[in-house]
Amino acid sequence: MTRPDNRHDKLTRDNLLDLQDHHLARIESVQGDQRQVWVLTARGHREAKKLLEPKGIRISALRKEEYDPDTGELLGTGYDDHAAAVTSTAAELHRAGIGHRLGFQTEVAHRLGNGYVQRADLVVRAPAAGVPVLLLEIDRRTEDAHDLVHKLRRYWEWGRLLAPDVDKYTADLVRSRPDAMEIIDHEQRLWRRVYPPTGREGLVPLAFVFADTTKAKVDNTVKVLEEAGRRYWAPRRYETYYREAITAKDYSQAVPVVSTSLEQLTEHGADAAVWRRLGRTGEQTLTAALDNPDGDALYRRQAARAEAEEERRKAAEREARRPVCKRCAQKFTDQRWEETTMHSQVPKAGDLSVCGPCHANDSARHDAAAEAARRQAAAPPQPEDDGQEPGKPRRSLFRRRT
C-alpha cells in the first residue's frame, strides 16, 4: 500500500525487519502461501498513535502478544486469511488510485437503533477518484449468502436513522409515522454526520468483495443478494403524474451495491471494469457502477419533456374548443373568448356568437343609433307654418266685438 508502484517487496521487507529490530513490529502469523502478517508491538502502537492521532487518523486496537502457558504457542492469531484479504483489497484499491494511504479504515462500527453494531470490514474515502465513501465487506465464502443479505439490511436501516440534532417536529413525525422517513432529506440523517455526500442518489454505497472462492459460488451469492435483498438495493418508480412518460428510477432510498472478487482486482486492477452493480448485467468500472444514468438526471429530463408535451396537448385541446364567429367564420381571440364565458363580463359581451371585430361593429352601430336618438331628443321643437308672410303680425284667430 505504501509503495504500490514497486515491482518487488524487498524494500518493504527490509523496512519491516528494521522495525522488528527496534521492537516496533512483529510477525503475527504465516499464511499458507508463506505470506507473513505483520502487526505493531505495544511500543510501535504507542509511536504510531503519536504520529497519526493528531491528524485525525484512527488507529486499530493493539494486537497483544499472548502465549499459551503450557505449550508456549502464540495465542489469538486472529489476523488470518480474512484480515489478509481485507488488506489486499485496500492495497489493490490504493494501487488503482482509489484512496490514499490514510484514507482507509477497518472494522468501522455502525450502531443501529436497537443497539446492534454492524462493523464494516473496510471503509475507503477517495473523493479524488469519484468515490467519496465506500463501505466494503470482504467475504471468503465463510458466511452464508443470507447472512450477507442481513448485513445489507442493517446498512439500509442505519442509513435511515435520524441525526441526533434534528428538530423536534421531524423527530416526532418519524416517531409517529415510520413511513415518514421516506420524505426526510438525507441531510437530516445520521449517515450525513458520519460520511460526506456521495454525489449520487441513495444511501452510502456498499461493496462485496469475494476472496478465495469460485466464480460459480460468487454468481450464486450475487443471485441471492439480488432476490432476497431487493427491498434494500432496488430503486422504485417515481410517484408522478406523468407515470407513463417516466422510465427513470428513484434511487433515493436504496443502498447502491456493487460486487467483485479479489482475484479480479489483483489480475485487472480496481480501476478496470470488474465491478457489477446489483440489478444490472455485465461489469463496469467502479464509478460507472455506482452512477445512476437512469436515475434523477434522467427523471428531470423526462419530466421536463412530459410537462412540455402536456402543455402542447392542453393547448391543442383548447384550440379545438375555441368558438368561431357565426358571421365572419373567424376564431375568437382569447380576450373575446373570456368575455363570452366569464359571468362578470357576459352582460357586456353583446351577441355571444360573434367575434370581437363583429361585436365591435355591432357596438359601433348601436352607439351611433343611440347618439342620433339623443341628439334628436335634445333638439328644440320646430315652429308650425300658419300661411303668413314672415315679418308681418300674426292675424288673430278671434274677432273683436263692437
Side-chain angles (χ1 to χ4, degrees):
M1 289 182 65
T2 58
R3 297 180 180 274
D5 297 329
N6 280 4
R7 296 188 179 183
H8 54 81
D9 59 358
K10 183 179 185 304
L11 181 60
T12 302
R13 285 189 286 109
D14 290 344
N15 286 333
L16 288 172
L17 292 173
D18 183 62
L19 291 173
Q20 186 181 41
D21 292 340
H22 289 80
H23 306 288
L24 299 176
R26 63 180 176 84
I27 298 175
E28 168 75 10
S29 63
V30 180
Q31 304 302 305
D33 57 0
Q34 300 305 309
R35 288 182 300 167
Q36 296 173 333
V37 178
W38 289 73
V39 298
L40 294 173
T41 62
R43 179 180 173 183
H45 194 271
R46 287 193 299 271
E47 292 198 12
K49 289 180 67 175
K50 294 178 182 178
L51 291 172
L52 298 179
E53 286 192 349
K55 300 178 181 179
I57 305 301
R58 294 180 55 193
I59 187 170
S60 60
L62 173 64
R63 190 68 178 172
K64 296 182 179 180
E65 189 175 10
E66 298 177 346
Y67 296 88
D68 188 290
D70 297 326
T71 64
E73 294 181 357
L74 184 65
L75 297 177
T77 55
Y79 287 121
D80 53 7
D81 290 338
H82 181 267
V86 173
T87 303
S88 297
T89 301
E92 293 301 334
L93 290 170
H94 178 58
R95 184 176 292 113
I98 303 174
H100 55 82
R101 289 189 297 274
L102 300 181
F104 296 92
Q105 289 178 279
T106 59
E107 295 296 319
V108 180
H110 302 82
R111 186 176 297 276
L112 277 66
N114 59 6
Y116 185 90
V117 177
Q118 177 63 54
R119 297 184 182 275
D121 290 331
L122 183 66
V123 175
V124 58
R125 304 189 188 206
V131 186
V133 59
L134 179 66
L135 312 181
L136 294 103
E137 286 290 335
I138 315 303
D139 179 38
R140 298 182 58 251
R141 292 305 298 120
T142 56
E143 296 181 88
D144 184 77
H146 290 280
D147 292 336
L148 301 184
V149 175
H150 291 313
K151 285 187 177 183
L152 171 57
R153 172 182 57 80
R154 295 185 195 111
Y155 285 118
W156 178 78
E157 292 176 349
W158 183 78
R160 292 167 63 86
L161 294 178
L162 279 177
D165 57 349
V166 296
D167 58 273
K168 185 177 183 299
Y169 171 79
T170 302
D172 292 342
L173 176 64
V174 174
R175 190 179 298 112
S176 60
R177 287 179 47 203
D179 62 321
M181 200 64 202
E182 305 285 339
I183 61 175
I184 301 300
D185 188 79
H186 287 271
E187 293 299 321
Q188 295 182 287
R189 302 191 187 188
L190 175 62
W191 78 265
R192 277 294 289 111
R193 303 297 187 271
V194 180
Y195 297 120
T198 64
R200 302 173 175 89
E201 308 101 292
L203 306 177
V204 183
L206 173 65
F208 287 101
V209 178
F210 302 100
D212 302 327
T213 184
T214 63
K215 184 177 183 304
K217 290 182 179 180
V218 171
D219 292 341
N220 290 335
T221 303
V222 171
K223 184 177 181 181
V224 172
L225 282 170
E226 286 186 330
E227 295 177 354
R230 177 170 294 276
R231 178 185 179 186
Y232 315 116
W233 64 261
R236 302 173 299 181
R237 293 198 63 178
Y238 275 97
E239 295 296 333
T240 175
Y241 174 75
Y242 311 107
R243 282 184 66 90
E244 295 184 359
I246 301 297
T247 61
K249 300 174 182 177
D250 181 5
Y251 290 88
S252 61
Q253 306 302 320
V255 176
V257 181
V258 296
S259 66
T260 187
S261 69
L262 182 55
E263 289 73 20
Q264 284 183 299
L265 295 179
T266 304
E267 180 180 358
H268 304 289
D271 55 346
V274 295
W275 302 87
R276 178 184 172 188
R277 175 78 173 263
L278 290 192
R280 300 180 188 172
T281 58
E283 296 174 331
Q284 302 172 284
T285 61
L286 180 56
T287 53
L290 293 175
D291 289 339
N292 302 309
D294 57 345
D296 184 63
L298 177 62
Y299 169 75
R300 290 196 298 268
R301 295 195 299 269
Q302 290 182 335
R305 287 197 297 267
E307 186 175 353
E309 182 61 30
E310 180 71 8
E311 291 297 326
R312 287 192 293 269
R313 184 186 65 80
K314 289 182 178 179
E317 291 180 353
R318 187 174 187 274
E319 195 63 27
R321 297 194 307 269
R322 186 180 295 274
V324 177
C325 179
K326 69 176 184 180
R327 292 183 188 170
C328 64
Q330 295 295 321
K331 288 187 175 183
F332 283 23
T333 62
D334 290 342
Q335 179 181 356
R336 178 57 180 168
W337 195 358
E338 181 178 343
E339 291 174 354
T340 60
T341 53
M342 292 189 64
H343 294 291
S344 60
Q345 299 189 29
V346 165
K348 306 175 184 179
D351 188 351
L352 304 182
S353 63
V354 298
C355 63
C358 293
H359 170 62
N361 293 336
D362 289 348
S363 297
R365 287 194 296 268
H366 180 270
D367 293 345
E371 179 65 18
R374 186 186 65 77
R375 289 180 179 180
Q376 184 177 2
Q382 296 291 333
E384 296 182 3
D385 186 10
D386 54 3
Q388 294 186 358
E389 294 181 9
K392 291 185 177 182
R394 295 175 60 84
R395 291 179 300 174
S396 175
L397 299 178
F398 302 98
R399 293 181 181 182
R400 181 180 300 174
R401 289 183 179 182
T402 56

